[in-house]
Amino acid sequence: MTQTPLKPKSMKAKTRKFFKKSPLTAPIAGSLLLVASGATIFWLINRNTFTPGTLPVGANLIPQDALMVLTLNTDVQQWRQLRSFGTIKSQVALDNTLIGLRETVFKQNGIDYDKDIAPWVGPEVTIAQLSPQSELSTDDTAEVPSSLSPQPIVAVLPIGDPLRAREVLAKPKALPNRKWSERKYRNIKIREAQPQQAPAKSDKAAKVEPVQPLQLAVVDNRVLVVTNSARSMNQAIDSFRDSKKSLARTPGYANALGQIQQPVRPFLTLYRNVPGSITSAAQNFDRSIGKKNQEWIDQAQGWATVANLQEDGVELRNIAWLKPGSKRKFAVKNGAKSLHKKLPQSTLAMTSGGNFNQFWQDYRRDYITYPVQLFNPGLLKQGIRDSLGLDWEQDFLGWMKGEFAIAMVPMPGDAAKKMPIGIMALIKTNDRRLAEKTLKKLDDAMITRQRYRVAPGKFNNQPVVNWSDPTTGTTVTHGWMNDNVVFFSLGSPITGTFFPNVRGALSDQPKFRRTALDSLGQRKTDGNGFFFINVADVLKQPVLPPLLSWLKPYRDSAEAVQSIGMNAVTSSDRTLRFDAFVQLIKGANAGPLPKTKPKPSPKPQKTEKSKKPGE
């Protein structure tokens, strides 16, 4: 769906005013997103009967321009199984997250989930995050939402037991600092709990904590819709009355889910409106995307994830797709067939692809649409020109139209004392003559511009070129393997782990096979790229390598993970598949979720050291 740009300047001013007055992430949205990200590595399988292609509950009530839609399984046993993964620390951390969510979403709204919701709710619930701009009107005289207005959220809870639901919903509980009233919209009755007015400023003693408005509506006697603003409720009802406006009618959505779902109800289904979320974020922070980039972004449609738990971890099936009829297309070629077989089993982390030139062109065009932008391609190109005097596109990309792989490998033997981890890169060239010409230019640039020592040498009787930095002692080796594969090794001692032939390939390593290769075997297709990280071995390193330093704040959670692997497949010129597996540690069986977070153990009191005789 093409995004409608903000037209009048007053709209942008209102958006900025709205965000100054209200938090970017309200308690409900923050808690939901925290659980979504914190539980990413812990999902579990649901054994209920389920038909692939089934839309999440409430898809006909969620507005089509919703930014993100999360559907969670409500089976208590599955949540308990979820909590059985990991170490003691990670289990406690997950329990605390769930308890915090329960308190923020339910307890503060006067709801006891076990008594008020669990007895009647259906097998899954859906929560959608709407665009903050949806709370603003294009009418210049319209009132800007108050500072109490939260991030717009729509939640849909299916009613599995109508009698029990009627008992609970007939008389809504009194809520602190809010007053219930009723209204109707498009012939649907809505109960509203509006925040009471804050006390006058002169009354310094009185204090009212900010609370959220609450909107409840039973739709079609089958679902309860809960929102935190009147406009969000109206949008949900509009979607129900006019199905063309709903998530269910998003082009390609049902077909995409059908490709990644299994005959079991997933624990989690996530949908991201790619153009909507990028455009909304840019408007929120008053960033200009530019007309050309906006046209490119608008050709994307969505990204969907389905999570299921296996015995030893979590399977994540992902799919990204473009709008029907888009000019933008994917190159349908899956060429990552051999280089992962040339990496050593000791590899700590790696990434690979079928065609480096194509990867670069795609990344350069698409990186603005990625949730995580690893680097700016323009800055890399400029950096190579400034430091080496070479042109990235003319000198390199022309001979890089084959498979590639980059890996982190632990240094062997005593070399690890100086540099624990080395980096290796393999590129299969389509033009060896041009590649050798560039390598000669590169050797000369390292001498003249970087003051490195460059000398030809032999490694296992095979010709190589060695670079060394006399200041830092850093060493780099490059040379040719068979099949026209050029290699670079940052940290020359790792060269022996793979050159001239690898002894024990990564492709035979059990963790890699389980996380990155198994799903390809099931689908009987080649991949267009791989990603793998042996988390357990990375955490054993005395110092985390700079590229993986982001793991440090999450070390307690990361210790629950054995390894993570992913493969990418271009399914069609408008569809990409990314299948991942997170291999987890099995922890102690979890019991019921505690009612409150455990109190921290009291710090031991300091005691005087016992005096030695004679003191």
Side-chain angles (χ1 to χ4, degrees), residues 61-357:
L61 283 150
I62 302 300
Q64 193 172 110
D65 57 359
L67 304 184
M68 193 173 295
V69 182
L70 175 68
T71 302
L72 291 167
N73 199 301
T74 60
D75 188 341
V76 174
Q77 294 304 316
Q78 292 197 31
W79 284 92
R80 188 172 294 184
Q81 181 68 28
L82 159 70
R83 296 167 44 237
S84 295
F85 281 116
T87 62
I88 293 175
K89 284 185 178 180
S90 68
Q91 287 179 322
V92 170
L94 179 60
D95 279 0
N96 286 342
T97 298
L98 295 176
I99 293 169
L101 172 66
R102 183 176 62 193
E103 291 177 352
T104 302
V105 177
F106 299 117
K107 191 174 180 180
Q108 290 182 12
N109 287 304
I111 298 170
D112 184 323
Y113 179 84
D114 292 332
K115 294 180 180 178
D116 299 332
I117 296 178
W120 57 262
V121 75
E124 61 185 23
V125 298
T126 294
I127 307 107
Q129 178 188 7
L130 306 189
S131 165
Q133 289 79 26
S134 68
E135 291 294 291
L136 303 174
S137 171
T138 54
D139 180 1
D140 290 350
T141 62
E143 182 184 356
V144 175
S146 74
S147 60
L148 298 182
S149 300
Q151 179 81 39
I153 296 290
V154 174
V156 181
L157 291 74
I159 298 173
D161 188 335
L163 293 178
R164 295 290 295 275
R166 195 174 295 121
E167 292 175 7
V168 174
L169 300 175
K171 295 181 180 179
K173 292 184 176 182
L175 300 180
N177 303 321
R178 278 167 286 190
K179 184 177 180 180
W180 285 104
S181 62
E182 288 189 2
R183 69 182 178 96
K184 270 194 174 185
Y185 182 75
R186 301 190 72 170
N187 208 34
I188 292 178
K189 187 170 73 172
I190 301 165
R191 287 194 174 97
E192 299 181 307
Q194 294 293 347
Q196 294 179 349
Q197 291 293 324
K201 290 183 180 179
S202 58
D203 188 359
K204 296 181 180 179
K207 204 172 186 180
V208 175
E209 293 294 329
V211 293
Q212 297 183 46
L214 200 62
Q215 304 264 325
L216 305 177
V218 175
V219 177
D220 204 27
N221 292 318
R222 292 186 299 150
V223 296
L224 172 68
V225 181
V226 183
T227 72
N228 54 3
S229 79
R231 286 178 179 164
S232 298
M233 177 61 78
N234 293 352
Q235 287 184 80
I237 293 173
D238 287 341
S239 301
F240 176 71
R241 294 300 190 199
D242 183 359
S243 63
K244 292 180 181 179
K245 295 181 179 180
S246 71
L247 173 66
R249 296 292 289 274
T250 298
Y253 180 57
N255 181 55
L257 285 182
Q259 294 183 52
I260 58 176
Q261 289 171 330
Q262 293 180 297
V264 289
R265 186 180 300 280
F267 180 76
L268 177 149
T269 301
L270 181 68
Y271 166 74
R272 179 185 179 229
N273 176 347
V274 174
S277 57
I278 295 170
T279 302
S280 178
Q283 292 170 354
N284 293 350
F285 297 102
D286 206 15
R287 289 201 313 255
S288 174
I289 294 178
K291 183 179 179 181
K292 189 175 180 180
N293 283 336
Q294 186 67 60
E295 289 174 351
W296 189 257
I297 290 168
D298 285 344
Q299 294 183 66
Q301 182 66 70
W303 176 294
T305 299
V306 164
N308 294 288
L309 186 77
Q310 305 293 337
E311 218 171 279
D312 55 339
V314 179
E315 178 190 55
L316 302 171
R317 296 186 172 196
N318 307 276
I319 188 168
W321 69 101
L322 304 175
K323 286 187 172 74
S326 63
K327 295 179 181 178
R328 177 181 169 190
K329 294 183 180 180
F330 302 127
V332 186
K333 190 175 181 181
N334 296 303
K337 300 178 181 179
S338 62
L339 290 194
H340 59 284
K341 300 175 183 177
K342 295 182 181 291
L343 302 180
Q345 282 193 6
S346 59
T347 296
L348 296 175
M350 64 81 68
T351 186
S352 71
N355 181 321
F356 186 85
N357 186 295

Side-chain angles (χ1 to χ4, degrees), residues 16-56:
R16 288 194 296 271
K17 187 177 178 183
F18 174 52
F19 275 93
K20 286 178 182 177
K21 294 178 70 178
S22 59
L24 288 177
T25 305
I28 288 181
S31 300
L32 294 172
L33 293 176
L34 180 61
V35 168
S37 58
T40 297
I41 60 173
F42 293 108
W43 294 304
L44 53 128
I45 199 166
N46 184 336
R47 305 184 188 279
N48 297 344
T49 302
F50 186 80
T51 304
T54 301
L55 295 179

Side-chain angles (χ1 to χ4, degrees), residues 331-491:
V332 186
K333 190 175 181 181
N334 296 303
K337 300 178 181 179
S338 62
L339 290 194
H340 59 284
K341 300 175 183 177
K342 295 182 181 291
L343 302 180
Q345 282 193 6
S346 59
T347 296
L348 296 175
M350 64 81 68
T351 186
S352 71
N355 181 321
F356 186 85
N357 186 295
Q358 186 66 54
F359 160 78
W360 179 260
Q361 301 302 338
D362 291 342
Y363 183 82
R364 182 174 58 83
R365 288 193 305 261
D366 299 347
Y367 90 104
I368 194 171
T369 70
Y370 296 162
V372 178
Q373 297 173 359
L374 299 177
F375 60 89
N376 185 319
L379 293 180
L380 177 64
K381 180 180 177 180
Q382 187 62 42
I384 290 174
R385 180 177 291 279
D386 293 345
S387 61
L388 300 173
L390 299 177
D391 188 284
W392 173 240
E393 293 182 351
Q394 292 184 13
D395 291 321
F396 291 91
L397 293 183
W399 54 270
M400 292 182 168
K401 295 181 180 179
E403 194 176 351
F404 69 95
I406 302 170
M408 283 197 245
V409 180
M411 284 285 196
D414 292 340
K417 295 177 182 178
K418 293 183 178 180
M419 185 177 178
I421 296 173
I423 297 176
M424 59 179 289
L426 308 178
I427 302 173
K428 189 170 185 177
T429 180
N430 57 295
D431 189 336
R432 181 158 178 165
R433 185 188 63 80
L434 183 58
E436 288 178 335
K437 185 178 178 180
T438 297
L439 291 177
K440 179 64 171 64
K441 287 184 181 180
L442 190 57
D443 290 341
D444 292 342
M446 295 305 293
I447 295 171
T448 59
R449 287 177 169 262
Q450 300 298 319
R451 301 290 187 261
Y452 270 54
R453 292 177 184 149
V454 178
K458 292 273 188 179
F459 195 96
N460 289 337
N461 294 321
Q462 300 294 320
V464 296
V465 175
N466 296 307
W467 302 344
S468 61
D469 183 345
T471 304
T472 64
T474 302
T475 59
V476 177
T477 297
H478 71 77
W480 288 93
M481 304 175 75
N482 55 8
D483 300 327
N484 286 328
V485 174
V486 65
F487 76 85
F488 284 82
S489 54
L490 173 59

